[in-house]
Amino acid sequence: MALVALLALGHCMAFIDRNLPAVAAPLLKTDLGLTDTQMGLLDGPAFAALYVAGMLASWPLAHSSHRLRSLAGCIAIWMLGMAIFAFGHSFATLVVARALVGLGQAAFVPLALGLIVTYAPAPWRARSMAIFTAGASAGRSLSLLLGGAALALFAKWLPASAFTHWRLLFLVMAAPNLVLIVLLLCRAEPCSALPATRTPVFSQMFASFRERPVMMSAYLCGAAASVLVVQTVGAWAPSVLHRQQGLTPAAAALVFGAALLVASPFGHFIAGTLVDKRGEKLSPTSIVAGALLLVIPVIAVMPFAHSAVTACLLFALASLIGGTAAVAALAGLPDLLDPSLHDVGLRVFLAFITVVGVALGPFMAGVVSDGLGMGGHGLSWALSRVCVTAAIVGIVAACLARTSWRRAAMEGVG
């Protein structure tokens, strides 16, 4: 359990750094004159470009005898990206910096999940995975809370200068990663490394995919739609609170971060418990479909929120429900795969949801917002349209996967 906690802390730190552009978005737009489309590019495609490639290319690290050292190295790389972002003066530099952050974080998630799936007791596996993913939601919340508090302190105590507050924010928030690097380097490996294999596991994985293409495609699409909802809301909620509800950037981050700190982990633990204790009639795909069905009315009324409190509660509720769907899809995946395919299967799964959910969601909301031409008030409409569309697609996909999920799970031995 101590290892799970340490890995969850790493996941938390990763998401603190990953989500800082959402905290600093109003300041970035003002300082560098960025559009919503450019902000969406920084939140999504710029981060995901090397993240996916690094995640798949780092698969041999799963068989290393120095996996915790590898995780420490990943943290050092994304810290470098944070520093470059802090000193960047052009959009191109910010894109390169975000790509480095993505590359540094690329191996962390699949390596950590591989350790949990391999060594966590089967009755606790989904809940252990939920604890790990709750680190991500806590990191997203703490990014907003700590980032908002830091900006408020900077505004009060530090005069504006050439080195603007958002630049200092990125440096200050990256510094605690040094402690995590030390903790990882000082901890012994949990047990001997997995034996290396020459078996073409990627070929086996795609062969397994070809055996049931409809179910696997639908499963992936349902998961990606869930992630897209969560990521899009998280990326743009502070900007909506700032533009449409009149909060300062610091206050918007603090208010949403506080709400998210309560809501998101609760959704993750709900999903982990449901997957671990589900009966024969309740599959992970049923949880995904039900959660996405519940999230649609919440997202649909967001543009009509007339107060910061109402808007913040709606954003937090959408994150809770969407997170339940996303974690249910992740926790149910090992049951579909042979144990020898767990690690590579998680990598393919995470690569897909990163491309679709993380890269496209915030970016498409930015494109739609600029296209609507409604100024600041168009952002909530853009967020609503993108997320409702994704939820509908996810419901259809989860329902398609549901009918064959039980049979596929029964055939697996995981």
Side-chain angles (χ1 to χ4, degrees):
M1 234 18 207
L3 176 62
V4 174
L6 180 60
L7 296 176
L9 176 62
H11 207 196
C12 177
M13 300 295 287
F15 268 73
I16 288 175
D17 293 345
R18 180 188 300 193
N19 287 279
L20 277 183
V23 179
L27 301 179
L28 279 166
K29 284 176 64 68
T30 301
D31 189 34
L32 300 179
L34 303 182
T35 65
D36 284 343
T37 299
Q38 288 175 313
M39 287 303 305
L41 277 167
L42 290 177
D43 272 313
F47 176 85
L50 294 182
Y51 186 92
V52 174
M55 181 184 297
L56 297 178
S58 65
W59 176 75
L61 293 176
H63 305 283
S64 168
S65 59
H66 304 291
R67 285 164 291 180
L68 297 183
R69 293 183 184 179
S70 298
L71 294 178
C74 292
I75 298 171
I77 292 174
W78 90 58
M79 284 185 67
L80 175 62
M82 293 281 286
I84 294 174
F85 196 100
F87 289 98
H89 288 276
S90 69
F91 177 68
T93 303
L94 300 186
V95 169
V96 172
R98 284 290 285 172
L100 270 178
V101 174
L103 178 63
Q105 294 186 7
F108 194 97
V109 174
L111 274 176
L113 280 173
L115 287 169
I116 292 171
V117 169
T118 302
Y119 302 118
W124 283 88
R125 186 169 61 191
R127 274 167 285 186
S128 297
M129 294 173 73
I131 291 172
F132 178 76
T133 58
S137 65
R140 190 181 297 112
S141 305
L142 290 173
S143 181
L144 295 161
L145 284 170
L146 298 178
L151 288 177
L153 288 174
F154 296 161
K156 182 176 181 180
W157 297 107
L158 298 177
S161 64
F163 199 74
T164 53
H165 292 163
W166 68 263
R167 300 181 188 278
L168 184 59
L169 173 69
F170 275 77
L171 293 177
V172 170
M173 297 294 279
N177 286 299
L178 292 172
V179 176
L180 182 60
I181 290 175
V182 171
L183 290 174
L184 287 169
L185 292 177
C186 291
R187 183 180 177 87
E189 289 285 340
C191 62
S192 59
L194 295 175
T197 176
R198 296 183 180 180
T199 304
V201 289
F202 278 101
S203 298
Q204 290 184 8
M205 179 66 200
F206 290 113
S208 176
F209 186 93
R210 288 193 297 270
E211 290 176 1
R212 45 202 182 205
V214 175
M215 190 276 292
M216 293 298 289
S217 298
Y219 194 91
L220 289 173
C221 288
S226 306
V227 172
L228 187 148
V229 170
V230 174
Q231 292 293 326
T232 306
V233 169
W236 288 113
S239 292
V240 172
L241 293 172
H242 169 63
R243 296 188 203 177
Q244 296 185 215
Q245 305 300 336
L247 300 183
T248 65
L254 284 168
V255 170
F256 181 54
L260 204 60
L261 188 62
V262 176
S264 288
F266 187 53
H268 286 231
F269 288 120
I270 289 175
T273 301
L274 287 175
V275 172
D276 270 340
K277 295 184 175 296
R278 68 184 186 274
E280 295 182 357
K281 295 183 179 180
L282 184 64
S283 67
T285 51
S286 300
I287 300 171
V288 171
L292 290 177
L293 184 63
L294 290 174
V295 85
I296 288 178
V298 176
I299 296 172
V301 300
M302 284 178 180
F304 303 99
H306 293 296
S307 71
V309 172
T310 301
C312 190
L313 289 175
L314 289 172
F315 286 136
L317 184 58
S319 298
L320 186 156
I321 300 172
T324 300
V327 175
L330 173 64
L333 181 67
D335 288 340
L336 301 178
L337 304 172
D338 185 89
S340 65
L341 299 179
H342 280 171
D343 184 76
V344 68
L346 285 168
R347 290 174 185 273
V348 172
F349 176 88
L350 292 170
F352 183 83
I353 66 172
T354 299
V355 170
V356 178
V358 177
L360 291 184
F363 173 61
M364 289 306 301
V367 171
V368 173
S369 176
D370 285 338
L372 288 174
M374 298 171 61
H377 291 283
L379 185 55
S380 61
W381 283 104
L383 189 154
S384 179
R385 292 182 184 183
V386 170
C387 290
V388 167
T389 301
I392 293 172
V393 172
I395 291 169
V396 174
C399 289
L400 285 175
R402 180 178 180 274
T403 55
S404 54
W405 185 92
R406 293 190 190 90
R407 178 172 57 85
M410 290 176 62
E411 291 173 356
V413 293

